[in-house]
Amino acid sequence: MLSSGSMNNSNLDVSLEIVLFSLIAEKLHVYVQNCVAAPYMGKYCLPQGDILFTEDNTIEEAIMRTVKALQFKSLSYIEQVKTIGGIARDPRGWSLAVVYYGFVAADQVIDSTNVKWIAIENLQVDDFAFDHALIVQESHQRLKSKALYTSLPAFLLPEEFTLTDLQKAYEAVLDCKIEKKSFRRRMLDAHILVETEKVRRANHRPAQVYQLIDETPHIFNRIIEGARH
Amino acid sequence: MLSSGSMNNSNLDVSLEIVLFSLIAEKLHVYVQNCVAAPYMGKYCLPQGDILFTEDNTIEEAIMRTVKALQFKSLSYIEQVKTIGGIARDPRGWSLAVVYYGFVAADQVIDSTNVKWIAIENLQVDDFAFDHALIVQESHQRLKSKALYTSLPAFLLPEEFTLTDLQKAYEAVLDCKIEKKSFRRRMLDAHILVETEKVRRANHRPAQVYQLIDETPHIFNRIIEGARH
DNA sequence: ATAATAGTGTCTGTCAGACACTATCGG
DNA sequence: CCGATAGTGTCTGACAGACACTATTAT
């Protein structure tokens, strides 16, 4: 910038780290790749991206391009978590990473043995390269915090879902049971859902199918209190 | 990082942008510098920093060093807001800025004509260089959001304060009146304050002086609802 | 009928808003 | 006494938790 010399020594490699969440079998999962080089060969690695100055006008564009390159078509939510930088996070020296998390549908990519969906509850810190376990944890923590007072977990679901689906999504994110009646009251009173004309049938009472009205999360006035205990 | 080549083209100048808030005369102010070079000469500029790879082990260390260099001794709070990057934000091309906001006491630095405290309510977008008006607005928005459900505005105050001081701090941040009784009940019921043995005297009933118990903001279960209207 | 899940009725507790009220100082 | 600010009493309303209850399907 103009007030400081542009030839300072702050030139360094900037990477984008992407934490992709998806619901699989009612559990929250994270997308990881296998590291293919020493010293972290065999460890899990988050998908990474770079900024291409000739292609990307903003960081967000670089993120979208990178997610698209991973062949995920449905990115229903994306958010910057934080930027981490330091001398200790990569053995080769100073590095800087801009971290985003996002939601995708997991069933769209059945790739090689080099990628994998890991259930959050099975996440082992030692399985990850660099500080990627920490990055996943911080992203998950941000997601949990927002789930307490927003409709964010609804964006993990397909377009059409039942209230039970939605409750299961919250429970997967927050890793705790939620009381059914107050949950349904909260969601219905907020006027963030529309009934569709569909019901989902099984060997029990059919469930009303809903869709989200808004494309961004709703903010509630109160948190889900039971989830803090 | 290892999974991608380290000689990609993501090398660029990374700057730190710092939004310093302070309460002056019960109004929220922002610290700005005068730009000294074209094309933004005469415009306001946020204090900036650079990462020194030989000195700073993390971004946070670079931020702390930069704030210290501005001669602020009391940094009572600091938080990363976001990282902005793009081709359009600086006329010279792609740039990337990691934005932090923090709280300082304004009375510690009486500098040259090159720095100034501007009241948030008088902030003119056109007075700022680059995208710095936007950066201030986003930081202020983050602060406002957090003020709705945390004790963050308390960190704008000196160590000892009255409940009226605290309410004024909230009102300065949120730019709206808060109902006295519910505000006091909220603060006292949260057990985040200790009474000191002092009272503040004037030509009216003396006010009890309090201190914060914790060094980090408290999170309330509900927001200040009146402030959303 | 039964199992299974969808969905409701209703009581209690917490806490925010409103606003009138009382308390205590200096002068 | 008065003016000023500190601080309280108390009602109402919104909404979360708890939990027992009813409803509707497939088999």
Side-chain angles (χ1 to χ4, degrees):
Chain A
M1 309 291 271
L2 294 187
S3 58
S4 57
S6 75
M7 288 314 293
N8 58 56
N9 57 357
S10 291
N11 276 288
L12 78 164
D13 188 50
V14 175
S15 71
L16 309 176
E17 310 269 354
I18 309 177
V19 181
L20 290 173
F21 291 112
S22 194
L23 281 181
I24 302 173
E26 299 179 356
K27 302 281 187 184
L28 189 65
H29 285 66
V30 182
Y31 180 84
V32 295
Q33 300 171 337
N34 281 314
C35 260
V36 293
Y40 285 115
M41 183 139 60
K43 299 272 187 184
Y44 295 142
C45 212
L46 291 170
Q48 294 180 319
D50 291 303
I51 298 167
L52 301 178
F53 302 119
T54 52
E55 287 191 36
D56 307 315
N57 291 315
T58 62
I59 305 180
E60 285 69 32
E61 284 187 23
I63 285 284
M64 299 305 277
R65 182 178 49 71
T66 304
V67 172
K68 200 168 278 180
L70 292 168
Q71 303 192 10
F72 290 107
K73 292 164 224 157
S74 65
L75 184 68
S76 55
Y77 184 78
I78 186 84
E79 173 184 335
Q80 191 186 109
V81 181
K82 68 181 298 190
T83 296
I84 308 179
I87 199 166
R89 55 184 301 274
D90 186 317
R92 289 164 303 176
W94 244 98
S95 67
L96 192 137
V98 186
V99 179
Y100 282 73
Y101 76 89
F103 300 162
V104 293
D107 54 1
Q108 296 189 346
V109 176
I110 309 97
D111 202 317
S112 61
T113 54
N114 284 328
V115 305
K116 193 172 172 183
W117 286 98
I118 304 180
I120 278 281
E121 60 186 15
N122 298 331
L123 193 147
Q124 301 273 15
V125 173
D126 290 343
D127 291 345
F128 281 83
F130 307 105
D131 53 359
H132 289 195
L134 188 66
I135 289 174
V136 171
Q137 277 174 357
E138 289 194 33
S139 301
H140 182 213
Q141 186 52 54
R142 170 78 65 89
L143 169 54
K144 282 173 81 167
S145 299
K146 290 213 169 183
L148 289 177
Y149 66 96
T150 73
S151 60
L152 186 49
F155 293 82
L156 283 164
L157 295 173
E159 236 183 80
E160 299 188 330
F161 52 85
T162 66
L163 285 178
T164 301
D165 292 339
L166 186 54
Q167 182 170 344
K168 293 255 174 71
Y170 272 83
E171 289 173 346
V173 167
L174 294 171
D175 191 31
C176 73
K177 284 284 168 199
I178 297 174
E179 209 286 323
K180 180 169 61 168
K181 182 61 197 288
S182 52
F183 178 79
R184 298 167 90 93
R185 192 174 43 207
R186 181 179 172 94
M187 294 304 152
L188 293 175
D189 289 356
H191 300 297
I192 58 175
L193 305 178
V194 273
E195 285 186 7
T196 66
E197 287 170 354
K198 298 182 191 167
V199 290
R200 185 182 301 162
R201 294 185 170 278
N203 60 334
H204 53 74
R205 179 171 173 173
Q208 176 65 51
V209 173
Y210 293 87
Q211 288 187 359
L212 278 174
I213 293 175
D214 299 320
E215 283 169 13
T216 52
H218 176 259
I219 299 175
F220 295 94
N221 282 354
R222 304 199 194 170
I223 67 160
I224 300 174
E225 295 177 19
R228 307 248 321 242
H229 312 313
Chain B
M1 310 290 275
L2 295 188
S3 57
S4 60
S6 75
M7 287 317 290
N8 58 56
N9 58 355
S10 290
N11 276 286
L12 80 165
D13 188 50
V14 174
S15 71
L16 308 177
E17 311 270 352
I18 309 178
V19 182
L20 289 173
F21 291 112
S22 195
L23 281 181
I24 303 173
E26 298 179 357
K27 301 279 187 186
L28 188 65
H29 285 66
V30 182
Y31 180 84
V32 294
Q33 300 171 338
N34 281 315
C35 259
V36 293
Y40 286 115
M41 183 138 60
K43 299 272 185 183
Y44 296 142
C45 213
L46 291 171
Q48 295 179 320
D50 291 303
I51 298 168
L52 302 178
F53 302 119
T54 52
E55 286 190 36
D56 307 316
N57 291 314
T58 62
I59 305 180
E60 284 68 33
E61 283 187 24
I63 286 285
M64 300 304 279
R65 181 178 49 71
T66 305
V67 172
K68 200 168 277 179
L70 292 168
Q71 302 190 13
F72 291 108
K73 292 165 225 156
S74 66
L75 183 68
S76 54
Y77 184 78
I78 186 82
E79 174 185 334
Q80 190 185 109
V81 181
K82 69 181 297 191
T83 296
I84 307 180
I87 200 164
R89 54 184 304 272
D90 186 315
R92 290 164 302 177
W94 244 98
S95 67
L96 192 137
V98 186
V99 179
Y100 282 73
Y101 76 88
F103 301 161
V104 294
D107 53 1
Q108 296 190 347
V109 176
I110 309 98
D111 201 319
S112 62
T113 55
N114 284 328
V115 305
K116 194 172 173 183
W117 285 98
I118 304 180
I120 277 281
E121 60 186 14
N122 298 332
L123 191 148
Q124 302 272 16
V125 172
D126 291 342
D127 291 345
F128 282 83
F130 306 103
D131 53 357
H132 288 195
L134 188 65
I135 288 174
V136 171
Q137 278 175 356
E138 289 194 33
S139 301
H140 183 212
Q141 186 51 55
R142 170 80 65 91
L143 170 54
K144 282 173 82 166
S145 299
K146 289 214 171 185
L148 289 177
Y149 66 95
T150 73
S151 60
L152 187 48
F155 293 83
L156 283 163
L157 296 172
E159 234 181 82
E160 298 188 330
F161 53 85
T162 67
L163 285 178
T164 301
D165 292 339
L166 186 54
Q167 181 170 345
K168 294 253 173 72
Y170 272 84
E171 289 173 345
V173 168
L174 293 171
D175 190 32
C176 74
K177 284 284 169 198
I178 297 174
E179 209 285 324
K180 180 168 61 165
K181 184 59 198 288
S182 52
F183 178 80
R184 298 166 91 92
R185 192 174 41 206
R186 181 179 172 93
M187 294 304 152
L188 293 175
D189 289 357
H191 301 297
I192 58 175
L193 305 177
V194 272
E195 285 187 8
T196 67
E197 287 170 355
K198 299 181 190 169
V199 289
R200 187 182 302 164
R201 294 187 170 279
N203 62 334
H204 52 72
R205 179 170 173 175
Q208 176 64 50
V209 172
Y210 294 88
Q211 288 187 359
L212 278 175
I213 293 175
D214 299 321
E215 284 170 13
T216 51
H218 175 258
I219 300 176
F220 295 94
N221 282 355
R222 304 194 192 174
I223 68 160
I224 299 174
E225 294 176 20
R228 304 253 313 248
H229 311 314

